[in-house]
């Protein structure tokens, strides 16, 4: 009977008392109907250990009772199926209710069998409970009277009969008092519950507020719906518990702060990958370290990593000042598939030749590994991403398609889908970031008082430190998630797991050159004008554009030309010409910018210049006034009449004109005349501009005009000035 115990009864024979089966009273006796091997049978005879069964079609079968009871489909028609009591649930019941249920069990057994311990126990039944002398109704009434005398409240014969039925239906657990399950909202007013749900609905999609603000909004909804003062708001503590119950994270994503939970709504299944590159997870977060930005101000850089699930290796990591862009995510793909070179300052032990991998066999396949660092090189098959803008952008998806990589977006609001990379971020912050100057801590409560003053490294320097730490520490540190099935107590390092899996899946090199990196850059389309190519107020020009100026591209949309631009270095662009290749087109001012300048820096400069537009006009007017003063100023010593006097502030065009004889030199004047003209010019300057803008301009004792830190003005000798440099 499904693992239960059945008893064959020969109650049909005179002079013998039937034998009960277990606590449920099931019996297989003559005339009973049973189900055996998918058919219905009636027990026709019982002889020792064999049972004779009669079928509906008149056939008979004689089987051993053990074989009959062992059949998976054997049941006794009209009897409940045997089962093991739920002892685990019984242990969770309060002790008082459990003791009461055990007491009821003894009373019910005494009513049915005459003995409190059930069939098979020793002893003599009491007269009022002897089954041979009294009926079931008499025994039930006797038990009700006995319990009433013992002080049990509200016990009648109907109560005893109901408890017997519950015992036969549910066993010992059926004797536990049944309580009506309370709703999640308890005894809260339904009008208040409806108002809270409406407030949560209105809050969906908006910035998360506090529970206090949600309570005020609920009060407004109640007043508008039922009238002011009709329905009272519950106390703040009661309201907070109600809001936490009603604000489901999936149904109400805009719930108040500190009420959301990240607990998965479905059984958690660990992510399994059996070969390197089979599954790579990519994500972005802010690093818990303050770095120095390009403008000299402290900031928290953004970290984007790619984690191989099979080996737990950080195969790519990029730090950026501002928000990570699609080009960074696309270049991560190339960084995974290309060996990481050993950088200056790396120790000899950090070379791939000293790692726990079959280096000689790998070197025969890929010569680039000779100068590679001890980090895995792999070509991803599937990349798991969240639904961030940079990962679903056209640039990133096009790069994945170019390299033959499958992109798998994670379900929304499911951090467990990328659990490996999410946990790695925590490990980087705890194992690396907290030892770096400028560590901010995991949250504001753990942040130091002078974190911004502790920032020491630039983003580029922090990138170097992170790359070295990944090679030195992370790749050689045993990971708790990397264990061999036959050696469960041995945790492997990512490099060790990579070397072990190489024997099963092998290594296939993916050669990428500079042209491949250019193809991964973001694409945009612009026309070629007579001035060149204009992008964000920058002009790019080259002689190679001469034959294409003003012409339409035969393949580009709208006749525009395909251009690849690196947003982290805008000093040049790459143009695809009809020959199919990308050609470098420099910025016309690239020779004046000797360091890579990103698009963010360019926008910052433009914004600063736009804010200083009036200041620029002011400075231009000051420069023009100073130029006029210097033009009429002569040194105290006589000068040759053919040599015009110039000054550093004089414009190049006028100086050249004077040198060519286009403007005659002014006649020699005395120092008094020069001082008088200088005073007139200063008076005019004072009338146009405040005094603080010209504090550094004055005259010496002889009346000659002087500048701060210099004597009387003389001829500017370029060779002499160069010698001083």
């Amino acid at each position: 009977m499904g693992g239960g115990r059945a008893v064959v009864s020969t109650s049909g024979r005179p002079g013998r008392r039937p034998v009960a089966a277990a606590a449920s009273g099931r019996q297989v006796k003559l005339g009973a109907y049973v189900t055996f091997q998918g058919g219905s049978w009636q027990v026709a005879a019982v002889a020792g250990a064999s049972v004779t069964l009669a079928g509906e079609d008149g056939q008979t079968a004689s089987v051993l009772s053990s074989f009959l009871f062992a059949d998976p489909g054997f049941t006794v028609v009209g009897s409940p199926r045997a089962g093991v009591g739920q002892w685990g649930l019984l242990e969770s019941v309060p002790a008082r209710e459990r003791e009461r249920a055990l007491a009821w069990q003894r009373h019910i057994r005494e009513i049915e069998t005459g003995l409190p311990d059930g069939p098979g126990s020793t002893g003599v039944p009491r007269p009022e409970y002897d089954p041979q002398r009294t009926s079931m109704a008499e025994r039930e009434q006797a038990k009700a009277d006995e319990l009433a005398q013992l002080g049990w409240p509200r016990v009648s014969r109907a109560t005893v009969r109901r408890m017997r039925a519950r015992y036969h239906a549910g066993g010992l657990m059926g004797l536990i008092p049944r309580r009506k399950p309370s709703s999640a909202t308890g005894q809260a007013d339904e009008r208040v519950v409806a108002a809270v749900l409406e407030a949560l609905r209105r809050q969906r999609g908006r910035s998360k507020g506090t529970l206090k603000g949600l309570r005020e909004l609920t009060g407004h909804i109640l007043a508008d719906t039922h009238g002011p003062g009709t329905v009272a708001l519950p106390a703040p503590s009661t309201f907070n518990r109600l809001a936490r119950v009603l604000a489901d994270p999936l149904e109400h994503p805009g719930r108040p702060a500190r009420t959301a939970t990240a607990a998965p709504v479905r059984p958690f299944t660990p992510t399994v990958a059996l070969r390197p590159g089979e599954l790579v997870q990519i994500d972005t977060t802010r690093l818990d370290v303050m770095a120095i930005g390009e403008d000299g101000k402290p900031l928290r850089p953004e970290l984007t990593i790619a984690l191989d699930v099979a080996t737990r290796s950080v195969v790519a990591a990029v730090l950026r000042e501002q928000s990570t862009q699609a080009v960074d995510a696309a270049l991560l793909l190339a960084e995974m598939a290309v060996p990481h070179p050993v950088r200056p300052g790396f120790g000899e032990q950090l070379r791939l030749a000293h790692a726990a991998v079959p280096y000689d066999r790998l070197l025969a396949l890929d010569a680039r590994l000779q100068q590679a660092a001890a980090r895995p090189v792999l070509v991803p098959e599937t990349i798991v991403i969240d639904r961030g803008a940079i990962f679903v952008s056209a640039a990133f998806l096009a790069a994945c398609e170019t390299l033959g990589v499958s992109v798998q977006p994670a379900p929304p609001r499911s951090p467990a889908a990328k659990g490996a990379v999410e946990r790695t971020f925590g490990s980087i912050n705890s194992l690396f970031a907290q030892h770096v100057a400028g560590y901010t801590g995991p949250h504001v409560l753990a942040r130091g008082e002078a974190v911004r003053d502790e920032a020491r490294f630039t983003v580029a320097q922090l990138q170097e430190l992170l790359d070295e730490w990944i090679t030195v520490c992370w790749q050689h540190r045993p990971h708790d998630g990397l264990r061999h099935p036959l050696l469960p107590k041995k945790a492997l390092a990512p490099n060790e797991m990579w070397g072990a899996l190489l024997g099963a899946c092998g290594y296939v090199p993916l050669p990428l050159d500079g042209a491949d990196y250019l193809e991964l850059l973001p694409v945009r389309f612009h026309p070629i004008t007579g001035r060149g190519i204009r992008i964000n107020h920058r002009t790019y020009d080259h002689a190679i554009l001469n034959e294409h100026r003003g012409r339409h591209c035969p393949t580009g949309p709208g006749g525009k030309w395909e251009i690849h631009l690196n947003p982290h270095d805008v000093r040049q662009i790459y143009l695809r010409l009809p020959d199919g290749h990308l050609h470098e087109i420099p910025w016309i001012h690239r020779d004046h910018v000797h360091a890579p300048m990103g698009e963010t820096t360019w926008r910052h400069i433009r914004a600063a210049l736009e804010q200083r537009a009036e200041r620029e006009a002011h400075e231009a007017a000051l420069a023009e006034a100073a130029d006029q003063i210097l033009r009429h100023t002569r040194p105290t010593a006589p000068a040759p009449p053919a040599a015009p006097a110039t000054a550093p502030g004089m414009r190049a065009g006028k100086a050249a004109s004077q040198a060519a004889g286009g403007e005659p030199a002014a006649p020699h004047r005395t120092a008094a005349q020069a001082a008088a003209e200088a005073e007139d010019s200063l008076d005019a300057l004072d009338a146009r501009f405040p005094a603080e803008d010209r504090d550094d301009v004055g005259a010496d004792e002889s009346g000659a005009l002087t500048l701060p830190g210099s004597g009387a003005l003389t001829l500017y000798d370029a060779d002499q000035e160069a010698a001083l440099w």
Side-chain angles (χ1 to χ4, degrees):
M1 292 189 297
R5 182 168 63 95
V7 175
V8 178
S9 172
T10 56
S11 57
R13 298 181 182 179
R16 298 194 61 180
R17 192 168 67 181
V19 180
S24 59
R26 285 185 297 269
Q27 294 179 345
V28 179
K29 46 187 165 183
L30 297 178
Y33 287 90
V34 298
T35 302
F36 174 64
Q37 292 186 349
S40 180
W41 304 78
Q42 186 179 17
V43 179
V46 177
S50 64
V51 180
T52 303
L53 302 177
E56 296 178 348
D57 54 357
Q59 296 182 355
T60 59
S62 181
V63 296
L64 294 175
S65 58
S66 58
F67 181 76
L68 176 67
F69 300 152
D71 184 71
F74 171 76
T75 58
V76 179
V77 178
S79 299
R81 185 177 180 86
V84 179
Q86 299 176 343
W87 300 107
L89 292 179
L90 187 64
E91 292 296 328
S92 63
V93 175
R96 182 177 180 181
E97 297 181 358
R98 184 167 61 248
E99 293 174 359
R100 186 179 179 89
L102 292 173
W104 267 113
Q105 183 185 38
R106 291 176 57 85
H107 292 308
I108 293 174
R109 286 177 173 176
E110 187 175 20
I111 294 173
E112 295 181 346
T113 64
L115 298 175
D117 295 332
S121 59
T122 60
V124 179
R126 290 189 287 175
E128 61 270 26
Y129 299 109
D130 190 353
Q132 300 294 336
R133 301 178 181 180
T134 58
S135 63
M136 181 63 70
E138 294 174 345
R139 296 196 297 272
E140 291 176 349
Q141 185 62 47
K143 181 58 68 174
D145 297 339
E146 179 185 355
L147 295 178
Q149 293 177 1
L150 293 176
W152 287 41
R154 298 187 300 275
V155 178
S156 62
R157 180 191 168 191
T159 303
V160 175
R161 186 167 58 250
R162 183 173 65 252
M163 296 301 289
R164 286 185 59 239
R166 290 173 56 179
Y167 179 66
H168 287 292
L172 188 59
M173 287 297 300
L175 301 177
I176 302 297
R178 300 178 182 177
R179 291 185 173 87
K180 182 179 180 181
S182 59
S183 62
T185 57
Q187 299 179 357
D189 193 336
E190 293 296 332
R191 295 172 294 181
V192 176
V193 173
V196 173
L197 292 175
E198 175 63 19
L200 290 171
R201 188 193 64 80
R202 294 184 184 182
Q203 198 183 35
R204 182 180 302 162
R206 302 180 59 191
S207 299
K208 296 181 180 179
T210 61
L211 289 172
K212 182 178 179 181
L214 182 66
R215 186 170 182 268
E216 294 179 359
L217 178 58
T218 304
H220 297 162
I221 295 175
L222 288 174
D224 296 340
T225 306
H226 306 284
T230 303
V231 181
L233 271 174
S237 58
T238 305
F239 177 84
N240 293 345
R241 290 193 297 269
L242 182 62
R244 291 188 178 95
V245 169
L246 295 177
D248 183 77
L250 298 181
E251 186 177 358
H252 302 285
R255 56 192 298 166
R258 289 190 293 273
T259 61
T261 175
V265 296
R266 58 182 63 88
F268 177 75
T269 302
T271 303
V272 178
L274 302 179
R275 56 185 180 274
E278 179 183 359
L279 200 62
V280 176
Q281 298 179 358
I282 297 182
D283 203 358
T284 301
T285 189
R286 287 286 178 183
L287 190 66
D288 292 346
V289 175
M290 281 288 184
I292 300 175
E294 294 181 357
D295 56 356
K297 298 180 180 179
L299 53 84
R300 286 182 61 189
E302 197 168 71
L303 172 63
T304 302
I305 66 172
L307 183 79
D308 178 48
V309 177
T311 63
R312 295 301 196 274
S313 300
V314 180
V315 292
V318 173
L319 280 173
R320 294 300 181 193
E321 286 192 15
Q322 304 295 331
S323 298
T324 307
Q325 302 182 15
V327 59
D328 303 318
L331 292 179
L332 281 179
L333 302 175
E335 189 174 349
M336 300 178 208
V338 175
H340 297 263
V342 176
R343 301 188 180 183
F346 279 22
E348 187 66 22
Q349 67 276 9
L350 300 185
R351 292 181 176 272
L352 187 63
H354 300 279
V357 296
Y359 174 72
D360 295 334
R361 297 181 62 185
L362 291 176
L363 189 60
L365 298 175
D366 193 346
R368 298 174 300 174
L369 297 177
Q370 185 174 4
Q371 301 297 330
R375 291 174 60 177
V377 183
L378 52 89
V379 180
E381 301 177 17
T382 302
I383 289 182
V384 180
I385 62 173
D386 55 17
R387 300 176 184 270
I390 62 173
F391 299 121
V392 298
S393 62
F396 180 74
L397 297 180
C400 292
E401 183 178 359
T402 302
L403 298 179
V405 179
S406 174
V407 179
Q408 177 181 340
R413 296 185 299 276
S414 299
K418 298 190 286 69
V421 69
E422 296 285 357
R423 184 63 186 89
T424 303
F425 280 135
S427 300
I428 292 176
N429 285 326
S430 61
L431 300 176
F432 168 73
Q434 69 170 334
H435 303 290
V436 180
Y439 176 60
T440 62
H443 49 79
V444 293
L445 298 179
R447 188 164 300 175
E449 298 180 356
V451 175
R452 302 176 68 89
D453 298 335
E454 295 176 0
R456 179 188 305 176
F457 303 103
T458 63
V459 177
Q461 293 172 337
L462 203 59
Q463 178 75 63
E464 294 285 342
L465 291 175
L466 179 62
D467 290 338
E468 186 173 1
W469 176 83
I470 291 175
T471 306
V472 175
C473 301
W474 180 263
Q475 292 300 130
H476 294 84
R477 179 178 180 271
H479 196 288
D480 197 51
L482 301 177
R483 297 181 182 271
H484 196 279
L486 299 180
L487 300 173
K489 293 186 178 181
K490 178 64 175 179
L492 302 179
N495 277 356
E496 294 175 344
M497 179 59 74
W498 183 48
L501 294 180
L502 282 176
C505 61
Y507 173 78
V508 179
L510 178 63
L512 293 177
D513 53 16
D516 296 316
Y517 281 89
L518 298 181
E519 293 291 346
L520 295 175
L521 293 176
V523 180
R524 54 197 308 169
F525 296 89
H526 288 271
I528 300 178
T529 64
R531 299 173 55 188
I533 301 174
R534 293 278 294 175
I535 300 177
N536 292 340
H537 302 277
R538 298 185 304 270
T539 302
Y540 300 87
D541 200 2
H542 193 270
I544 200 174
L545 301 180
N546 291 341
E547 58 179 316
H548 305 291
R549 300 182 190 273
R551 296 184 179 180
H552 293 281
C553 178
T555 58
K560 298 181 179 180
W561 297 79
E562 178 185 348
I563 294 173
H564 292 244
L565 173 65
N566 186 355
H568 301 296
D569 189 3
V570 298
R571 297 178 301 167
Q572 60 276 322
I573 60 174
Y574 304 92
L575 172 68
R576 190 182 303 278
L577 293 179
D579 58 0
H581 300 290
L582 292 174
H583 298 265
E584 180 179 324
I585 310 298
W587 182 30
I588 59 176
H589 299 297
R590 183 173 67 173
D591 295 338
H592 303 284
V593 182
H594 304 289
M597 181 178 63
E599 191 73 51
T600 304
T601 305
W602 175 259
R603 288 197 300 266
H604 176 73
I605 295 174
R606 285 195 56 208
L609 292 179
E610 291 175 357
Q611 294 175 359
R612 298 179 56 190
E614 297 180 359
R615 179 64 179 171
E616 286 184 11
H618 185 66
E619 292 178 354
L622 284 177
E624 181 68 20
D627 183 55
Q628 294 298 328
I629 295 173
L630 296 176
R631 284 174 59 86
H632 299 289
T633 303
R634 287 296 179 269
T636 56
T646 60
M650 188 175 295
R651 289 174 292 183
K654 294 186 177 181
S657 175
Q658 293 176 5
E663 182 176 349
H668 176 70
R669 291 166 294 174
T670 62
Q673 292 175 343
E677 292 181 6
E679 289 181 0
D680 294 338
S681 299
L682 288 174
D683 292 338
L685 179 65
D686 183 72
R688 294 179 58 189
F689 303 105
E692 58 269 14
D693 292 333
R694 55 168 184 80
D695 286 340
D696 297 334
V697 182
D700 60 2
E701 297 178 353
S702 63
L705 189 66
T706 60
L707 293 178
S710 65
L713 291 174
T714 58
L715 288 178
Y716 179 79
D717 190 349
D719 295 335
Q720 183 181 0
E721 187 69 15
L724 296 177
W725 293 354

